[in-house]
Amino acid sequence: MSDRTVLHVKGRVLVGPEDIRDELWMVDGRISYDRPAGARDVRTVVGWALPGLVDAHCHVGLDRHGPVPEDVAEKQALTDRDAGTLLIRDAGSPSDTRWIDDREDLPKIIRAGRHIARTRRYIRNYAWEIEPEDLVAYVAQEARRGDGWVKLVGDWIDRDLGDLSACWPRGAVEAAIAEAHRLGARVTAHCFAEDSLRDLVEAGIDCIEHATGLTEDLIPLFAERGVAIVPTLVNIATFPQLADGGESKFPRWSAHMRRLHERRYDTVRNAYDAGIPVFVGTDAGGGLAHGLAAAEVGELVTAGLPPVEALAAGTWAARSWLGRPGLDEGAPADLVVYDEDPRADVRVLASPRRVVLNGRVVG
């Protein structure tokens, strides 16, 4: 398609779950609901159009061993793109992926800088590994490097205890979150277990990743403070395998991981029922493949979210939460077209008919 081609989407355009229009136009990479005057070279795509999918917990430039070369990061981003994911919140990466911003053919990325973890309390080669007295300084550093987010590791296995435990004292996270907010950044944290959550939420955190330790007594606190969760259920599905691998050395941890896995769907449904914001994230780029946002939407439905709400968690609501436009007049033309209505069956998301990024068909 040439730069002068006008792209016309005709059928059903899902601007919002109830805001449905018959067509839109894409001119110079932007959305318009008015037919451009004098348009001659017009390409028409017919189907159900959605804003590009959102993966709010993804790692481009990272694999299970640490940072990867640019060509590998490019393949990761292309895999997400071709699956319809056009907006990524990169929830921690040691790689510098700013070069992606100059590529019109790759998804847009909102970065959280590099993970910040306690010394020897996270995956090797992933994070800045520091002690509590340095937390404020490192949070300030990553707030300046990121795109409005900072990522903490809230809990991890403590080898002396043989189980998951909180990484940071209350005073350290209070000061660090306050500093991030002063610099205009929101803060999220990796949390599998229960015992780090109250301190983080009461300290003012904005989001919790995974949130498998969210218990009934904590749900009202999350709801009152408006703290979002990104459950990454496609990742939590790996907990039994992880537990089996650690059984002989850390039996207490293994049993804990199995309990968290067993109640995962109840945890997410109870959070949703209480009004806690829930968003789609896959945790791709560590040990998990890219391109799984559609599968995560399906997992949210399995957990008990109504299909339209699960769809919103990876489209309209997620974009609003991240401060990025959807199919708005004048917005970047980032959308996915499907053969059927994804509100009726979210499994449709796994088979995009066309992927459009910056007004150009890329898949």
Side-chain angles (χ1 to χ4, degrees), residues 76-86 105-107 355 357 362-363:
Q76 294 173 340
L78 287 170
T79 299
D80 285 317
R81 183 202 74 181
D82 292 346
T85 296
L86 303 183
D105 61 330
L106 295 180
V355 178
L357 184 59
V362 294

Side-chain angles (χ1 to χ4, degrees), residues 241-254:
Q241 180 182 354
L242 296 175
D244 289 346
E247 181 82 51
S248 60
K249 193 172 182 180
F250 300 112
R252 182 178 169 189
W253 171 83
S254 294

Side-chain angles (χ1 to χ4, degrees), residues 30-355:
R30 299 278 169 173
I31 289 172
S32 175
Y33 288 96
D34 296 318
R35 181 185 178 97
R40 294 182 180 179
D41 187 4
V42 177
R43 177 176 177 181
T44 300
V45 177
V46 178
W48 294 80
L50 273 178
L53 302 184
V54 178
D55 189 339
H57 186 132
C58 186
H59 306 280
V60 175
L62 181 70
D63 69 9
R64 65 176 68 247
H65 304 295
V68 299
E70 285 190 6
D71 64 319
V72 177
E74 179 186 42
K75 290 177 183 177
Q76 294 173 340
L78 287 170
T79 299
D80 285 317
R81 183 202 74 181
D82 292 346
T85 296
L86 303 183
L87 179 62
I88 290 169
R89 184 183 61 149
D90 195 322
S93 176
S95 295
D96 181 359
T97 59
R98 290 287 174 188
W99 58 271
I100 289 176
D101 295 348
D102 298 325
R103 290 277 299 270
E104 291 285 311
D105 61 330
L106 295 180
K108 296 174 174 69
I109 298 184
I110 300 168
R111 297 168 185 82
R114 188 172 184 176
H115 306 75
I116 303 172
R118 192 76 178 263
T119 307
R120 298 188 64 202
R121 295 286 301 279
Y122 200 49
I123 303 167
R124 186 178 298 177
N125 300 323
Y126 275 34
W128 297 119
E129 297 191 18
I130 62 168
E131 288 304 295
E133 58 267 25
D134 296 319
L135 185 59
V136 171
Y138 273 82
V139 163
Q141 170 185 286
E142 297 311 298
R144 294 185 177 101
R145 288 179 174 175
D147 298 315
W149 283 90
V150 175
K151 170 74 174 293
L152 306 180
V153 177
D155 65 38
W156 197 251
I157 188 168
D158 183 322
R159 290 166 177 80
D160 294 331
L161 293 176
D163 199 0
L164 298 166
S165 71
C167 292
W168 310 103
R170 171 72 170 260
V173 294
E174 286 179 341
I177 292 170
E179 179 67 1
H181 289 169
R182 186 184 73 82
L183 293 170
R186 289 186 276 182
V187 183
T188 192
H190 160 106
C191 295
F192 283 161
E194 300 85 352
D195 64 353
S196 64
L197 295 177
R198 183 172 294 277
D199 280 353
L200 288 167
V201 173
E202 290 182 347
I205 204 161
D206 302 281
C207 181
I208 296 292
E209 310 299 312
H210 316 301
T212 42
L214 183 57
T215 51
E216 290 186 8
D217 62 310
L218 290 169
I219 283 175
L221 177 64
F222 271 67
E224 176 190 344
R225 301 293 181 94
V227 177
I229 65 170
V230 182
T232 68
L233 287 167
V234 291
N235 178 41
I236 306 310
T238 68
F239 276 19
Q241 180 182 354
L242 296 175
D244 289 346
E247 181 82 51
S248 60
K249 193 172 182 180
F250 300 112
R252 182 178 169 189
W253 171 83
S254 294
H256 195 175
M257 294 290 278
R258 290 191 182 98
R259 291 195 303 273
L260 295 172
H261 175 264
E262 287 167 3
R263 71 173 196 242
R264 68 197 186 283
Y265 292 140
D266 289 339
T267 299
V268 173
R269 178 56 193 256
N270 291 340
Y272 168 78
D273 286 345
I276 295 172
V278 179
F279 297 107
V280 166
T282 66
D283 207 3
L288 223 61
H290 285 258
L292 297 176
E296 181 67 12
V297 174
E299 279 287 274
L300 293 180
V301 173
T302 300
L305 270 67
V308 171
E309 294 299 319
L311 185 61
T315 54
W316 313 291
R319 284 178 171 272
S320 176
W321 178 58
L322 292 172
R324 296 296 190 272
L327 301 181
D328 306 320
E329 180 74 30
D334 300 343
L335 57 92
V336 192
V337 180
Y338 301 93
D339 286 326
E340 299 176 49
D341 185 354
R343 298 172 305 167
D345 186 350
V346 299
R347 290 176 295 182
V348 169
L349 298 177
S351 302
R353 181 174 186 178
R354 291 287 184 270
V355 178

